[in-house]
Amino acid sequence: MRGDARSMTWTSPRTPAQAVRALAADPRALAFAGGTDLMVAWNMGLLNGRAVVDLSRLTPWRMIRASRDGLSIGSLATHAEILRHPAVRARFSLLADACATVGAAQIQNRGTLGGNLANASPAGDTFPALAVYEAVVHCLGPEGRRALPLLEFFAGVKKTRLKPGELIESVFLPSLPKPARAQFRKVGTRGAQAISKTMFAGALWLDRDGVVADVRLAFGSLAPTVRRLRAAEAFLKGRRLDAATSAEAAQLLDADVSPIDDIRSTRAYRLAASRGLLARFLAGR
Amino acid sequence: MGALTLTVNGRRRTYRGAAFTRLIDVLREDFRLTGTKEGCGEGECGACTVLLDGAPVNSCLIPVGQAAGRRVETVESLGSPEKLSKLQQGFLDCAGAQCGICTPGMLMSAHAHLKSGGKADDASVRTALSGNLCRCTGYQHIVDSVLAAARGKKKKASRK
Ligand SMILES: Cc1cc2nc3c(=O)[nH]c(=O)nc-3n(C[C@H](O)[C@H](O)[C@H](O)COP(=O)(O)OP(=O)(O)OC[C@H]3O[C@@H](n4cnc5c(N)ncnc54)[C@H](O)[C@@H]3O)c2cc1C
Ligand code: FES
Ligand code: FES
């Protein structure tokens, strides 16, 4: 069956408190941001009869605010707004690059960061960048506010630790020194509008003598949730980046990820392609 | 069920019905603006592209409630059969349309790209149109059409 518009109830709260109350009052109610995930499900007839709480009038939640401490991105900021924001481009370029690969222009103009996070797809393209930046997800619910580190926000495939009635308010990226190297790469079936088979974000800081001072590596689509490569990171720290070190680091990928065979790709391809992405990043290509 | 108003192609319009009705259905069924086409109904093909406050969006993924108080432009705003816009003329001159089902969406994406000062080179136009699928032309003629229209505009601008 197709979606039936008349079966849906619709409210457009003007304040976050009203939105939280509306969601808490009805456990089946749906928070609705840009709708690029929800409308696909609705068009297939999967959401008929539900109450919809439209978040789009909560305009303060669209704001992107830069400060010395970091950058706060409202949950309703769209991928297009994020990728064009000067502070995102200058200080958190991995996120700008990731947002530029979400769908195409039409999806980027509607899809929001909060929706991407709450949808919690293993292939959410913003997650590796957010994992590298050690983002903090700020939530507002019936019991008030709380902050969750990104890696704790996800509970599994399409599952988050949001409680009933709880909404994402904003995402905070703490300031960090400018990396010597930063790269986002996505591998999909075609250039645009493709769900990732694997995607990578990495940032690297070098000492004056070329030794790795710090490194953060993250992959998406290789596990139920986004993963940091703890083993490879620990191995690389304090070493000089030569071909042997890079090759050995790429072999440590398996320690932190567990890709599967599915309709989009295979475990073997995902591992091989991901090792390639990692090796290229470490080689500075 | 209530009434909501939106501005469509410069005219204020009122819609009475369910707020969750898709914008594409309101445009086509209620306002009789049938230029906007539905291909996939899931955000993949871009045939339903319209501009919402100036930005290209898929009208199959928008409940009309979210368009309340906002500005919508459809392909009907570009030109008329008697007086085509430069972009529409470009598609005619360069064979940018075959069966035509993707054309309204292509036109709206290209229009948004050029109007917002997007670059008139092959790569930029292809990126701007990457959310629009065409099963007929192989895309080259579409890109040529957009570039021809953009160059026409540039020439005119440099003459004055
Ligand atoms: C054609 C197409 C291509 C796509 N391509 C990509 C891609 O390349 N990469 C990618 O990562 N995604 C892609 N997506 C998925 C989608 O566009 C993104 O996940 C987008 O960021 C979702 O945001 P939204 O605002 O549209 O979410 P919505 O559809 O409004 O909501 C999604 C989910 O999040 C919940 N939610 C929304 N906002 C909040 C909030 N503030 N607090 C709590 N819960 C909330 C909703 O209840 C719902 O469960 C694509 C989708 C389509 C249709
Ligand atoms: S009909 Fe809307 S994107 Fe295909
Ligand atoms: S002209 Fe037929 S789909 Fe593009």
Side-chain angles (χ1 to χ4, degrees):
Chain A
M1 199 175 88
R2 293 289 301 267
D4 174 10
R6 280 161 310 175
S7 76
M8 315 294 286
T9 61
W10 175 268
T11 49
S12 280
R14 302 294 146 146
T15 68
Q18 286 171 358
V20 166
R21 240 177 283 133
L23 287 163
D26 175 357
R28 293 186 73 239
L30 294 166
F32 195 102
T36 57
D37 277 310
L38 285 177
M39 284 305 280
V40 175
W42 181 78
N43 280 341
M44 292 192 289
L46 301 177
L47 301 176
N48 283 333
R50 306 283 284 268
V52 177
V53 179
D54 166 34
L55 304 181
S56 68
R57 311 280 152 169
L58 306 178
T59 37
W61 283 15
R62 289 185 77 136
M63 297 245 284
I64 302 177
R65 260 178 305 222
S67 67
R68 272 191 53 194
D69 297 344
L71 187 79
S72 169
I73 303 176
S75 60
L76 295 180
T78 62
H79 298 291
E81 286 161 351
I82 295 168
L83 78 91
R84 289 189 196 122
H85 196 279
V88 180
R89 297 175 79 105
R91 293 162 58 192
F92 299 97
S93 62
L94 294 172
L95 183 61
D97 292 347
C99 290
T101 72
V102 173
Q106 293 94 324
I107 298 293
Q108 289 162 16
N109 284 328
R110 293 281 301 165
T112 64
L113 187 61
N116 200 224
L117 283 166
N119 197 50
S121 158
D125 279 322
T126 62
F127 308 162
L130 295 176
V132 164
Y133 293 132
E134 302 190 340
V136 179
V137 183
H138 288 266
C139 311
L140 175 70
E143 287 153 40
R145 291 197 156 79
R146 61 183 183 132
L148 287 169
L150 181 87
L151 295 182
E152 287 168 35
F153 176 80
F154 298 112
V157 175
K158 297 238 155 198
K159 288 201 179 71
T160 72
R161 298 228 157 75
L162 285 174
K163 294 183 190 156
E166 205 171 28
L167 288 168
I168 303 168
E169 191 170 28
S170 62
V171 176
F172 183 73
L173 309 181
S175 289
L176 72 183
K178 197 170 175 56
R181 195 181 295 167
Q183 192 177 63
F184 171 78
R185 294 291 300 271
K186 160 170 170 173
V187 178
T189 304
R190 70 178 186 113
Q193 206 97 305
I195 299 176
S196 300
K197 299 169 194 276
T198 174
M199 78 297 219
F200 165 77
L204 180 73
W205 293 263
L206 296 172
D207 284 344
R208 222 171 293 162
D209 50 3
V211 166
V212 176
D214 199 2
V215 59
R216 298 181 185 178
L217 308 166
F219 272 96
S221 282
L222 296 190
T225 62
V226 62
R227 289 294 157 84
R228 281 278 294 272
L229 301 188
R230 301 295 185 192
E233 289 175 359
F235 171 78
L236 285 164
K237 266 178 230 170
R239 285 179 204 257
R240 202 176 292 278
L241 277 183
D242 54 30
T245 306
S246 302
E248 205 167 327
Q251 288 313 310
L252 291 172
L253 178 69
D254 305 48
D256 289 287
V257 302
S258 49
I260 56 166
D261 294 339
D262 66 11
I263 50 163
R264 269 185 288 286
S265 190
T266 61
R267 172 185 164 83
Y269 175 84
R270 285 183 157 119
L271 282 175
S274 303
R275 283 207 183 88
L277 294 179
L278 195 54
R280 274 204 205 179
F281 171 71
L282 295 174
R285 276 183 287 146
Chain B
M1 234 166 269
L4 53 88
T5 57
L6 54 159
T7 304
V8 181
N9 299 338
R11 260 181 72 194
R12 261 171 77 91
R13 310 284 303 244
T14 302
Y15 169 73
R16 288 185 180 77
F20 211 80
T21 309
R22 302 180 311 168
L23 180 59
I24 187 171
D25 297 327
V26 173
L27 293 172
R28 290 180 53 87
E29 311 284 327
D30 295 272
F31 299 161
R32 294 286 160 196
L33 293 167
T34 53
T36 304
K37 305 299 182 213
E38 177 162 8
C40 63
E42 50 187 63
E44 294 284 346
C45 76
C48 66
T49 302
V50 301
L51 307 192
L52 184 63
D53 289 340
V57 296
N58 297 312
S59 60
C60 72
L61 296 185
I62 302 180
V64 67
Q66 281 197 342
R70 301 176 70 177
R71 217 159 22 88
V72 176
E73 287 154 80
T74 69
V75 69
E76 285 89 350
S77 70
L78 295 186
S80 60
E82 298 72 38
K83 194 173 183 311
L84 296 177
S85 74
K86 281 221 165 57
L87 190 60
Q88 289 170 316
Q89 190 62 49
F91 271 66
L92 207 56
D93 295 343
C94 302
Q98 286 184 27
C99 81
I101 199 90
C102 73
T103 312
M106 290 286 180
L107 285 167
M108 295 316 284
S109 289
H111 174 63
H113 176 68
L114 296 179
K115 194 184 51 141
S116 66
K119 282 196 214 135
D121 61 48
D122 192 87
S124 310
V125 169
R126 282 180 188 274
T127 302
L129 298 181
S130 63
N132 294 79
L133 299 182
C134 175
R135 296 305 301 266
C136 302
T137 64
Y139 300 101
Q140 188 58 52
H141 288 307
I142 293 178
V143 175
D144 292 345
S145 306
V146 178
L147 292 177
R151 279 193 215 105
K153 255 184 219 152
K154 288 260 165 54
K155 256 188 232 147
K156 200 177 166 200
S158 60
R159 250 188 262 131
K160 60 173 177 189

